[in-house]
Amino acid sequence: MADANPFNDPLRFEKRAPPCAVVIFGANGDLTKRKLLPALYRLAYERRIPPSFAVIGNSRTAMTDDQFRAKMRESVEKFLEDSPFEADLWESFAKNLFYITGDLNDPKLYSEIFDKLTEIEKTHQTGGNVLFYLSTQPSYYGPVANALGAAGLQHGNGWRRIIIEKPFGHDLTSARKLNDDIHQKFEEDQVYRIDHYLGKETVQNILAFRFGRRLPVRI
């Protein structure tokens, strides 16, 4: 339905995100350092995320909360675009960053995330809203979704959503298989897929067609 399309909302750039926690799997990778954390900081700079907001990063690399915050500060200062870096704002933003070391194949990790989210829901008043961002190797997409469901993390006091980074499968068959795996634990309206490469060839074909065909001009 057209009314449900967020791009049809003229106020979309003025809205503030609701209270929530974001759990980033693969938080020590390039995507988090170059894109995700700088983008979240910019949202904070533009006052589009509320104080009742938190980020939990995860990877196998052992780090404390403070070490994670220091590493993310380096990344934000280096890769931030179109916004100034303000030290005071970073200090308040960084207080909402947390880190859990753990292997994606270890059920204990998801128990620790469950406990941390329960704590954050109380201390940060997130309302139980949680966004899981899978910035991992594609082979982990299905297993992580299944492990989240096994730990009861797909449901809570608020909404729960999961973002799958590209590539979403390498062909139609694998994409359908991944879809089926995710739907075992998450409903369709909880799933967001990001794969800008899906449209890459189409766009390239349009450009080739546009500049490859020359129409005769009548004088």
Side-chain angles (χ1 to χ4, degrees):
M1 293 177 59
D3 291 343
N5 186 342
F7 293 104
N8 289 337
D9 182 0
L11 300 177
R12 66 187 186 276
F13 294 120
E14 300 178 18
K15 289 184 175 179
R16 172 181 279 200
C20 69
V22 179
V23 180
I24 303 176
F25 294 100
N28 198 39
D30 261 7
L31 177 66
T32 301
K33 290 184 278 192
R34 290 174 176 268
K35 299 296 183 182
L36 300 185
L37 257 296
L40 289 171
Y41 171 85
R42 182 175 176 182
L43 288 175
Y45 173 79
E46 295 175 353
R47 307 301 188 265
R48 294 194 198 171
I49 54 177
S52 45
F53 177 84
V55 176
I56 301 174
N58 158 259
S59 77
R60 288 181 297 181
T61 304
M63 275 189 282
T64 64
D65 289 344
D66 286 339
Q67 288 171 331
F68 179 62
R69 291 163 183 164
K71 180 171 268 194
M72 291 304 105
R73 174 171 181 155
E74 275 182 33
S75 298
V76 170
E77 286 187 282
K78 183 175 181 180
F79 298 111
L80 181 65
E81 298 178 1
D82 302 322
S83 296
F85 182 85
E86 295 183 355
D88 290 343
L89 174 60
W90 173 260
E91 290 304 315
S92 61
F93 177 80
K95 291 176 182 177
N96 296 329
L97 303 184
F98 304 93
Y99 186 82
I100 297 177
T101 305
D103 190 300
L104 296 175
N105 294 314
D106 185 357
K108 181 184 175 185
L109 166 65
Y110 302 93
S111 296
E112 292 181 8
I113 291 174
F114 186 100
D115 292 341
K116 191 65 178 179
L117 286 172
T118 301
E119 175 190 331
I120 285 174
E121 184 176 345
K122 296 175 182 177
T123 59
H124 288 65
Q125 288 77 52
T126 58
N129 299 324
V130 184
L131 173 65
F132 300 105
Y133 201 115
L134 272 60
S135 175
T136 67
Q137 294 181 14
S139 60
Y140 282 114
Y141 295 162
V144 170
N146 182 68
L148 289 170
L153 285 162
Q154 80 277 46
H155 301 299
N157 294 325
W159 49 256
R160 300 291 167 105
R161 297 170 184 166
I162 184 169
I163 291 182
I164 314 294
E165 253 293 346
K166 66 174 180 63
F168 196 90
H170 54 82
D171 57 18
L172 181 59
T173 300
S174 59
R176 284 175 171 167
K177 172 66 166 57
L178 177 55
N179 228 29
D180 291 341
D181 290 344
I182 293 168
H183 283 158
Q184 289 182 21
K185 301 297 182 181
F186 290 86
E187 300 297 328
E188 176 58 27
D189 62 0
Q190 294 178 284
V191 182
Y192 292 75
R193 303 164 185 82
I194 298 177
D195 195 340
H196 48 266
Y197 277 94
L198 285 174
K200 183 177 180 180
E201 285 190 22
T202 302
V203 173
Q204 289 176 331
N205 287 341
I206 291 173
L207 292 173
F209 180 78
R210 165 65 179 83
F211 295 106
R213 287 178 60 90
R214 303 195 60 167
L215 299 177
V217 178
R218 291 185 178 180
I219 298 178

